Amino acid sequence: MPSFNETIPLEETSFLAAGELGDEGRPRSAAPTNLAYVIYTSGSSGRPKGVAIEHRSLLNLVYWHQQTYSIGPTTRASQIAGPGFDAAVWELWPYLATGGSIHIVPQQLRNSPAALVQWLSDNSITISFLPTPLAEAVLAELWPPDIKLQQMLTGGDKLQRRPGQELPFQLINHYGPTETTVVATATVVEAGGDGTPSIGKPIANTQLYILDEQQQAVPVGVTGELYIARAGLARGYYQRPELTQEKFIKNPFAPGRLYRTGDLGRYLPNGELEFLGRI
């Protein structure tokens, strides 16, 4: 894994697709299949692997997010994820692409749920992503009556419980491996009720399958491995062709590829997905 101060000559990087750099080494106008970013994830193996995301996959995430959450020039979004966490991509581009403003959460507030709630209120934040453990902590706080927050987005870990009381904003649970461009499913989490919240249904241009060990579809309610297809899939792993071939397989149900998540899940009767942990 390169260090932050290491120079990487892109013209010598064979992983770039043909035509991504101009004749003089300057980037051309972006095409859908051009590389947007590479972000490293260790997964369960502990060995960092670079996930290569193309412009078309990032654009699908950005457009879905803008349409789903009515993002525009008056949107005021918080930013809390570090640049090594793929959620940072999600916290930046949907808002920058529509003229919204981004407000960086001060470091000293990230371990103080009460102070974070007050900061969200003081800065008139309208939409905020918080990693699952932090979201669960702030949900137990008292919220100012004049809070401008409309949506709290969460993800990155299994949401263990529902809000115990009605909230002055929507709580939306998300699921998605780095290899599928941050988000693959979403659902609004209502207050009260039994059981842990689901991870919802696929976002736009995304298909999810629950398959058994023979890669056959399982019935509703039966546990299997979660596979993801279509627009969000990464190009593959940077300079790891064997791993790319192992994890991104041919889709036996439709044209294209499937990403093997290594996660367990099952379909609920209402069509939503329940996340059951890692294999």
Side-chain angles (χ1 to χ4, degrees), residues 26-67:
R26 293 190 297 269
R28 298 184 187 275
S29 297
T33 56
N34 285 158
L35 192 65
Y37 63 88
V38 176
I39 195 164
Y40 279 80
T41 175
S42 63
S44 57
S45 68
R47 179 185 175 187
K49 50 187 182 290
V51 180
I53 300 295
E54 296 177 336
H55 278 259
R56 57 184 173 183
S57 298
L58 177 58
L59 180 60
N60 187 71
L61 172 71
V62 168
Y63 187 75
W64 165 81
H65 184 93
Q66 291 172 341
Q67 296 298 306

Side-chain angles (χ1 to χ4, degrees), residues 9 61 84 185 206 260:
L61 172 71
T185 70
T206 301
R260 303 183 60 173

Side-chain angles (χ1 to χ4, degrees), residues 164-175:
Q165 59 186 353
E166 292 295 333
L167 300 169
F169 51 82
Q170 283 187 318
L171 174 65
I172 303 102
N173 193 29
H174 300 79
Y175 162 84

Side-chain angles (χ1 to χ4, degrees), residues 141-175:
E141 297 294 327
L142 293 175
W143 289 85
D146 58 346
I147 189 78
K148 298 296 192 297
L149 192 66
Q150 299 170 13
Q151 294 107 1
M152 177 183 291
L153 317 179
T154 191
D157 204 343
K158 183 174 181 178
L159 188 62
Q160 298 293 334
R161 57 184 180 272
R162 301 172 184 274
Q165 59 186 353
E166 292 295 333
L167 300 169
F169 51 82
Q170 283 187 318
L171 174 65
I172 303 102
N173 193 29
H174 300 79
Y175 162 84

